[in-house]
Amino acid sequence: MALTTADRVEILDLAARYNFAIDEVDAEGWAATFTPDGVFDAGRGEVVGTEALAAFVHAFQEHMAGTEHWTNNHVIDGDGEQATHRCYLNLIRGESGESIIRAKYSDTLVKVGGQWKFSRRVVR
């Protein structure tokens, strides 16, 4: 079954919740956007599982406090249980608006208990 409009909206909402959670240092909320065995890969080694993902938020904020994640050009493909998602990331300093990182997310998502979650999120 192809993705429904509701699936696409839920995936976009998941991406937005991910952004707000890491920017607001909501470690548990950020980790909850992933499956329990979810993987985040930013090119410096994989972060795997809920506990490690939550810890990553605090480590990230030590170096990137005050940043905001902005994403755009979302492309979503898949079926009713699995999907892929790609988008651009612009990480900016909140106060100055200075762009410090421009990258692309490449995601694999699965539906868990009726909710979309990242099973793997790669940023390069």
Side-chain angles (χ1 to χ4, degrees):
M1 174 171 69
L3 290 174
T4 66
T5 300
D7 287 323
R8 292 177 184 282
V9 170
E10 288 172 28
I11 290 168
L12 291 172
D13 185 66
L14 178 70
R17 289 180 186 281
Y18 166 104
N19 291 345
F20 275 102
I22 196 163
D23 293 345
E24 295 173 353
V25 198
D26 177 3
E28 291 75 25
W30 189 76
T33 66
F34 291 85
T35 60
D37 60 348
V39 176
F40 178 70
D41 180 356
R44 295 182 180 151
E46 294 181 345
V47 180
V48 182
T50 302
E51 188 175 312
L53 289 163
F56 174 84
V57 172
H58 296 293
F60 176 84
Q61 288 298 331
E62 286 180 22
H63 304 287
M64 297 292 198
T67 57
E68 296 175 351
H69 288 70
W70 291 80
T71 53
N72 62 6
N73 293 340
H74 299 264
V75 176
I76 304 166
D77 294 299
D79 59 35
E81 299 300 317
Q82 298 182 28
T84 60
H85 170 250
R86 296 179 300 139
C87 65
Y88 291 109
L89 163 67
N90 188 12
L91 186 66
I92 64 169
R93 293 245 179 250
E95 291 181 16
S96 69
E98 170 193 9
S99 178
I100 39 179
I101 295 174
R102 284 195 232 160
K104 295 177 187 175
Y105 282 117
S106 179
D107 307 320
T108 305
L109 300 100
V110 295
K111 211 173 225 186
V112 178
Q115 293 185 316
W116 286 102
K117 302 281 184 175
F118 296 113
S119 61
R120 180 173 190 82
R121 182 156 237 214
V122 176
V123 62
R124 297 282 195 274

